[in-house]
Amino acid sequence: PAASVADTFQLTVTNTNDSPFFTSTQVTVATEDVSYNYEISVEDADADDPRADLTISAPTLPAWLTLEATGDGAARISGMPGNDQVGTHDVRLRVTDDQQSAIDQAFTITVANVNDAPILTPLDPGPELTEISEDEVGNAGQSVASIVGNSITDIDATPVEGIAIFA
């Protein structure tokens, strides 16, 4: 015959804190002079309410962006990149739970350039223009450079080399 033994005991399972996590996917592209928005959402599997008691921070955030807590495990980073922000920008977001367990979401935002119109600064005094009569065919007039001089600026990183002036 087989022998057996029976005993009763109590088993206690102790929870270990799991880090919270990001449930949103970062927005990694932006366009100059167009509003950028990334709606951030996070959760914590350990909490009764998976979105309660979480803090979202931004250890690395470009100056043209702001972080705003929107509540209930959510936040937003937003801003308007200008011509000076064309290029790449590193971002590091962090979510921390009430047990100080944290995880980061790191990514790079690439801001695309938009061609900005050149700026013509009025000359003081204005240029002297040579008069040309309607029927005069031998007078070449004046070059655009002699009229506008160095009064045209273009803030783009790679300005166009030609310019057209329309009346």
Side-chain angles (χ1 to χ4, degrees):
S4 67
V5 175
D7 194 4
T8 303
F9 61 93
Q10 183 176 11
L11 177 65
T12 303
V13 177
T14 304
N15 184 31
T16 59
N17 186 43
D18 295 311
S19 295
F21 55 93
F22 287 85
T23 58
S24 56
T25 301
Q26 62 271 26
V27 178
T28 60
V29 294
T31 303
E32 173 194 346
D33 300 330
V34 176
S35 182
Y36 170 90
N37 288 292
Y38 168 33
E39 300 292 334
I40 305 161
S41 58
V42 295
E43 289 187 5
D44 187 355
D46 293 325
D48 291 334
D49 179 353
R51 295 183 178 185
D53 300 322
L54 297 174
T55 302
I56 301 171
S57 59
T60 305
L61 194 65
W64 60 273
L65 289 172
T66 58
L67 173 67
E68 173 189 6
T70 56
D72 198 28
R76 172 185 309 113
I77 55 174
S78 61
M80 179 82 70
N83 195 71
D84 291 342
Q85 286 76 45
V86 170
T88 59
H89 303 272
D90 292 330
V91 175
R92 181 175 303 279
L93 302 176
R94 178 171 295 148
V95 58
T96 308
D97 67 13
D98 60 352
Q99 301 295 309
Q100 300 308 305
S101 180
I103 193 163
D104 288 354
Q105 184 183 64
F107 57 99
T108 300
I109 299 172
T110 302
V111 178
N113 187 43
V114 171
N115 186 24
D116 295 294
I119 299 168
L120 177 61
T121 306
L123 298 174
D124 187 23
E128 292 288 324
L129 299 178
T130 304
E131 184 177 320
I132 302 173
S133 70
E134 178 181 355
D135 296 326
E136 191 174 339
V137 293
N139 189 337
Q142 292 170 268
S143 71
V144 172
S146 72
I147 297 170
V148 298
N150 292 327
S151 62
I152 297 176
T153 56
D154 192 342
I155 65 169
D156 286 315
T158 53
V160 177
E161 292 188 17
I163 200 162
I165 298 178
F166 296 92

